[in-house]
Amino acid sequence: MESETVVRALGALAQEHRLALFRLLVQAGPDGLAAGAIAEALGVPASSLSFHLAQLTNAGLIAQRRDGRSLIYTADYGAMTALLGFLMENCCGGAVCAPAAPCDTKDKNERTAA
Amino acid sequence: MESETVVRALGALAQEHRLALFRLLVQAGPDGLAAGAIAEALGVPASSLSFHLAQLTNAGLIAQRRDGRSLIYTADYGAMTALLGFLMENCCGGAVCAPAAPCDTKDKNERTAA
DNA sequence: TCCATGATTCGATAATCATCGAAATATGGA
DNA sequence: TCCATATTTCGATGATTATCGAATCATGGA
């Protein structure tokens, strides 16, 4: 993962509404949520929300698909995994830093960096 | 970790110079680096660097100590661990997301959130 | 005490970001 | 075709961020 990509992803998450939005999409899972539902959940005007959705999309953290009149947004787990991988490997001075919790993982395939 | 803290930490890292700076401090380890050395390494004017150091300090990601005329900066691993912990637990939809690498950890004590 | 060095703060400026109503675009149904 | 719904784009505005030279502050040594 290039550091410019990392900066963009971090920047996308470094905003109250967008962090909440991303968490919401993570909770929603693969089904995702329509823009309108998100706007209501977050209490943000549609045009403002659209701006934030664009930021996250641009950073590659979420994806968009259309379902009828609605645009459904979903979290991109792979992008998040890559981001976490970068942070762990480059910003943690080795293995010392990683929280111990999720070591019952079942995926070794998403890995990116060396 | 409160989400406001998370936003501030992410914002602090979401900048080219600051991300490079933080990585540099992580590499430097507990000895840290003097502001002047950092400025030279990054090729950034002293006053600009000072601004970025303040951002990272304010976000709690780095710490400062004085050694004679020099101010030595060090990465705060605990803060980074807490940040990663938050992201893993809130932005990853469970254990599915975590990269598999650092599971040979030796520390279970840094953990913060539940 | 005086000076040199290491670093921060101040101040001005340019750039980017966030907000949100109004207008425009896309889709589906009558 | 015409209308209603879902959402984005446009445009204007205020706020925050990044940059960097000059001035200031802190420390140590002569």
Side-chain angles (χ1 to χ4, degrees), chain A residues 18-97:
Chain A
R18 289 197 295 265
L19 183 60
L21 163 38
F22 188 77
R23 290 175 69 180
L24 198 61
L25 290 184
V26 166
Q27 283 177 25
D31 289 348
L33 285 174
I38 300 171
E40 189 175 14
L42 298 182
V44 170
S47 64
S48 300
L49 178 73
S50 204
F51 169 78
H52 292 304
L53 286 168
Q55 303 279 307
L56 285 165
T57 303
N58 187 270
L61 287 168
I62 65 177
Q64 187 193 59
R65 73 171 189 272
R66 182 173 280 279
D67 176 25
R69 275 175 269 213
S70 297
L71 287 173
I72 309 291
Y73 288 89
T74 49
D76 184 328
Y77 291 76
M80 195 61 190
T81 304
L83 177 60
L84 283 171
F86 177 94
L87 291 177
M88 285 200 192
E89 295 177 25
N90 292 278
C91 299
C92 276
V96 192
C97 164

Side-chain angles (χ1 to χ4, degrees), chain B residues 32-109:
Chain B
L33 284 175
I38 300 171
E40 189 176 15
L42 298 182
V44 170
S47 64
S48 299
L49 178 73
S50 204
F51 169 79
H52 292 304
L53 287 169
Q55 302 280 308
L56 286 165
T57 303
N58 187 270
L61 288 168
I62 65 177
Q64 186 193 60
R65 72 172 190 273
R66 181 174 280 279
D67 176 25
R69 274 173 270 212
S70 296
L71 286 173
I72 308 292
Y73 287 89
T74 49
D76 185 327
Y77 290 77
M80 194 62 190
T81 304
L83 177 60
L84 283 171
F86 177 94
L87 292 177
M88 285 199 193
E89 294 176 26
N90 293 277
C91 299
C92 275
V96 192
C97 163
C103 285
D104 49 311
T105 45
K106 1 161 164 216
D107 61 348
K108 312 176 81 73
N109 37 351

